[in-house]
Amino acid sequence: MKPIILLAILTPLWLTPPAKAENITCPRQPLATNYCDNYISQSQNITLGQASDLIGRWLDAKQKIFAPPFDRSLLATITTGILYSDTVKGIENLRSTNSHYRYGVQKVESVERFAASGNKATIEVRVTEDATVYRDDKVETSSFNTRVVRYTLEYWDGIWKIADSQVMRY
């Protein structure tokens, strides 16, 4: 066993700062990459209240992310992983079709499920959302619905972010 691994095992997590991905050595990982596929920095568990607040911030941020000027820096502060990359693609599609979203009511009605372990968490919430898509400043589609959405959260670069979302049911 390598001494660095032994040190990591013997050092309590609360005494060590979150590691940076570029300082991690990953077994069976190509040397060309500077991160581990499954690595996310260590953290204390997120609470139910913190997870709910993050989802609320995401709903509020959608107003600025999916409408001009399409705030990518805001997107980067709240999301990571699949949700970030899919949203960037969505923004590019909206721009190329001269489209954008406007939101009315956006509300977390209830938390259906929540689980957290280390640097990952999952929260299922019942969300009501009023969304209208405009194309060339004319209404293209509109929806008002309540659905259960599962969000996958990850602790990344010292903050919790939403990594993925999936509509579970309407």
Side-chain angles (χ1 to χ4, degrees):
M1 186 165 22
K2 295 180 183 177
I4 198 162
I5 293 172
L6 182 59
L7 177 63
I9 292 170
L10 296 176
T11 305
L13 288 178
W14 62 85
L15 294 179
T16 58
K20 296 291 182 194
E22 57 270 10
N23 295 334
I24 301 299
T25 303
C26 307
R28 294 169 298 208
Q29 182 81 16
L31 293 176
T33 61
N34 64 353
Y35 64 94
C36 301
D37 286 334
N38 296 320
Y39 177 77
I40 302 168
S41 56
Q42 296 296 315
S43 74
Q44 296 296 324
N45 282 349
I46 189 171
T47 66
L48 172 60
Q50 292 167 327
S52 285
D53 289 347
L54 179 57
I55 302 309
R57 287 196 319 270
W58 164 245
L59 293 176
D60 291 341
K62 288 171 72 173
Q63 301 271 5
K64 295 178 181 174
I65 293 169
F66 294 109
F70 301 101
D71 192 342
R72 285 190 189 198
S73 63
L74 179 59
L75 174 67
T77 64
I78 298 173
T79 67
T80 190
I82 294 169
L83 184 58
Y84 177 82
S85 60
D86 286 353
T87 303
V88 168
K89 290 174 190 173
I91 289 170
E92 290 308 313
N93 183 54
L94 289 169
R95 281 183 183 206
S96 70
T97 60
N98 196 30
S99 302
H100 66 277
Y101 277 83
R102 287 190 194 151
Y103 294 90
V105 172
Q106 292 177 289
K107 182 180 179 187
V108 174
E109 301 287 347
S110 63
V111 175
E112 303 291 312
R113 294 180 180 163
F114 174 73
S117 179
N119 53 17
K120 294 189 178 191
T122 302
I123 186 169
E124 281 187 12
V125 294
R126 182 173 302 279
V127 177
T128 297
E129 191 167 60
D130 172 16
T132 303
V133 179
Y134 289 82
R135 185 175 189 163
D136 297 321
D137 291 325
K138 295 179 183 168
V139 174
E140 185 167 277
T141 61
S142 186
S143 65
F144 183 85
N145 53 44
T146 301
R147 58 186 179 246
V148 175
V149 182
R150 177 181 294 161
Y151 293 95
T152 304
L153 313 178
E154 294 179 352
Y155 189 76
W156 190 256
D157 290 336
I159 60 171
W160 283 94
K161 295 184 179 187
I162 304 170
D164 198 8
S165 68
Q166 179 182 8
V167 175
M168 303 307 292
R169 63 183 180 270
Y170 285 88

